[in-house]
Amino acid sequence: MRVIGRMLFVAMIALASLGAMSEQHTEQPASDKEIRIGNVMPYSGPLSEFGAIGQAEAAYFDMINARGGINGRKIRFITRDDNSDPAAALEQTRNLVEKEDVHLMFGSFGTPGNLAARWYLNEKKIPQLFVASGDEQLSQAQTFPWTMGWQPPFRSEGRIYANYIQAYYPRKKIVVLWQNDEFGRTLYRGIQEGLGDLNRHVLVDIAFDIGDEHLEGHVSVLKRADADIFVFLGVPSTASKVIKLAASLNWHPVFIVNDASASIANAMAPAGLENSAGVISAAFLKDPSDPAWKDDPAMKDWFAFMDKFYQVESANNSAALYGYAAAEALTQVLKQCGDDLSHENIMRQAASLKNYKPSVALPSIRMNTSPNNYLPIKQMRLVQFDGRSWQPFGDVIETAFTEGANR
């Protein structure tokens, strides 16, 4: 059975003025003494919980500017709201390029918005760097040489979960609850590809929309299937509700959630730590709400940064940590650029990272790029939540990441 709701992202419509929903981090005049960076985020709309990525990036560049900038230049980070609308993302990107004269677009969120802007930016030869999406379409070095991903591909992440099921539960029954958008579909496609013949053990899969009012019914249907493994693919706020609903039905399957939802503060704790014990995921960044990292020097730097530059009630937001790590990686690229901030040199430096380690990445996770490899991070670790902390198991996984870089 498949329950399909309305599409989260609609086809691109005629572009409209979006000034009322735009926001800029800074507005000082452009000059040769600055590096102008454009960014588009869902500060409003159904995916607004990921707006913390852009806010953390803005705060990170404030910190860089307070330290003197990069190669003598200050960062002017201009971040705008697209309301989770790909048409809005394209219009905002055009404005940033044509009115703000940005050197590059960086870290814009979501697959539909980045795909909508990709043709335009490649035609203009404007770097579209470290997009906040794991879709391999945004890492096609030969076809779109001005667009580069950052995080591990969603499809490969899905294969990791499939490989785990094959290794540990090859004869067990499976149900899947997946977010009905490109993000959820791509993750689920990776699982299906990885399971191969074992797809016959998937008894039920249900697609849900952001803001779905029928989660309780969905979970009840899945429970009645009498499955052993429950795979959830979606955002943290929904993951927490689903974990809690399963527990309320006295249903305790092997629970797998995708990396974006594997946050103690944003998913496990709201669901109840006892309810969440045993949840399995794959990760490449540290969880700021995990007590295992309380004495880690890089995480101490993170909390100091949050206290001084990004003053919010909680420093445990995993989306914010993602933004911090991505901004740190871009800072490395811009340092490598020296005095040459031409579009060509920015892409050249982005495509020449060698074993670069974001400070808040898990041990052994590295970034490597080349002109033929636009998948910077290709490693993850399987982790299991023990009710307090994420416990890694197995080796660093690279074997699932075999495609997508050279097209």
Side-chain angles (χ1 to χ4, degrees):
M1 177 182 67
R2 180 168 298 193
V3 180
I4 304 292
R6 61 176 179 79
M7 295 295 293
L8 174 61
F9 293 104
V10 298
M12 189 176 303
I13 60 174
L15 301 177
S17 172
L18 299 164
M21 57 187 264
S22 298
E23 60 177 66
Q24 287 183 273
H25 181 59
T26 55
E27 290 294 341
Q28 66 265 35
S31 75
D32 292 338
K33 295 296 184 182
E34 65 184 10
I35 304 172
R36 298 177 298 280
I37 300 172
N39 171 269
V40 176
M41 279 284 151
Y43 293 112
S44 60
L47 297 172
S48 60
E49 63 189 282
F50 293 103
I53 295 174
Q55 293 167 341
E57 289 165 346
Y60 187 91
F61 293 126
D62 282 344
M63 179 180 70
I64 293 298
N65 286 339
R67 295 175 178 177
I70 299 174
N71 300 328
R73 289 181 171 90
K74 295 297 182 71
I75 301 294
R76 187 158 74 100
F77 183 66
I78 310 169
T79 180
R80 291 182 170 170
D81 184 9
D82 69 357
N83 194 40
S84 302
D85 178 355
L90 176 58
E91 178 69 1
Q92 296 289 25
T93 299
R94 285 182 181 272
N95 287 337
L96 288 164
V97 170
E98 296 171 13
K99 296 181 180 179
E100 300 295 343
D101 193 27
V102 295
H103 289 90
L104 71 151
M105 292 296 298
F106 156 69
S108 294
F109 180 85
T111 301
N114 277 299
L115 288 176
R118 181 180 61 171
W119 279 103
Y120 169 76
L121 291 169
N122 276 262
E123 181 180 341
K124 291 286 187 180
K125 298 184 178 180
I126 305 293
Q128 185 183 17
L129 275 187
F130 299 161
V131 297
S133 166
D135 196 298
E136 289 170 310
Q137 296 180 83
L138 295 162
S139 296
Q140 296 177 347
Q142 301 303 316
T143 311
F144 294 98
W146 297 91
T147 300
M148 182 181 290
W150 187 69
Q151 69 193 68
F154 294 143
R155 192 159 62 105
S156 297
E157 182 185 345
R159 288 179 180 178
I160 288 174
Y161 304 131
N163 292 347
Y164 169 77
I165 292 170
Q166 287 177 322
Y168 289 88
Y169 303 101
R171 297 178 181 83
K172 299 298 184 180
K173 295 174 288 186
I174 307 163
V175 291
V176 184
L177 183 63
W178 56 278
Q179 191 166 296
N180 187 25
D181 57 15
E182 195 66 25
F183 162 65
R185 281 192 294 274
T186 305
L187 277 163
Y188 188 27
R189 185 162 64 248
I191 289 176
Q192 291 172 311
E193 291 171 352
L195 285 177
D197 291 343
L198 291 185
N199 275 296
R200 66 183 184 276
H201 294 311
V202 178
L203 304 180
V204 182
D205 74 272
I206 299 177
F208 69 93
D209 295 324
I210 293 288
D212 197 316
E213 298 179 356
H214 306 289
L215 287 176
E216 186 172 358
H218 297 337
V219 175
S220 180
V221 168
L222 295 175
K223 179 181 186 294
R224 288 200 297 273
D226 193 30
D228 308 289
I229 301 167
F230 184 178
V231 180
F232 172 84
L233 308 171
V235 299
S237 56
T238 309
S240 66
K241 296 173 185 176
V242 168
I243 293 170
K244 195 169 186 176
L245 282 168
S248 71
L249 295 173
N250 197 30
W251 182 31
H252 304 285
V254 175
F255 218 121
I256 298 173
V257 305
N258 58 291
D259 172 45
S261 291
S263 166
I264 297 174
N266 303 125
M268 305 301 116
L273 296 178
E274 183 177 347
N275 296 335
S276 303
V279 166
I280 291 162
S281 188
F284 67 102
L285 296 175
K286 297 167 185 173
D287 185 339
S289 50
D290 191 331
W293 304 115
K294 66 178 182 179
D295 296 322
D296 179 70
M299 294 308 295
K300 287 183 177 180
D301 289 344
W302 155 260
F303 287 112
F305 155 79
M306 290 291 282
D307 184 58
K308 185 173 182 179
F309 293 98
Y310 186 14
Q311 298 170 351
V312 292
E313 184 175 342
S314 173
N316 290 330
N317 190 309
S318 292
L321 186 94
Y322 177 106
Y324 175 95
E328 185 181 48
L330 181 66
T331 297
Q332 175 64 26
V333 170
L334 295 174
K335 286 179 178 178
Q336 291 178 195
C337 286
D339 292 330
D340 183 358
L341 288 174
S342 64
H343 299 157
E344 291 79 6
N345 192 44
I346 291 172
M347 287 307 302
R348 187 180 306 118
Q349 299 307 320
S352 61
L353 293 169
K354 304 299 181 188
N355 291 318
Y356 175 73
K357 183 184 185 302
S359 64
V360 293
L362 291 175
S364 301
I365 302 296
R366 298 289 187 272
M367 290 179 64
N368 284 282
T369 57
S370 75
N372 294 315
N373 176 8
Y374 273 22
L375 293 173
I377 301 178
K378 297 177 281 292
Q379 302 163 311
M380 300 187 84
R381 293 290 308 270
L382 280 167
V383 292
Q384 184 169 34
F385 186 62
D386 66 3
R388 180 176 179 271
S389 179
W390 291 108
Q391 300 296 329
F393 63 97
D395 297 325
V396 172
I397 299 170
E398 298 185 54
T399 55
F401 302 94
T402 57
E403 299 180 26
N406 298 316
R407 292 195 300 270

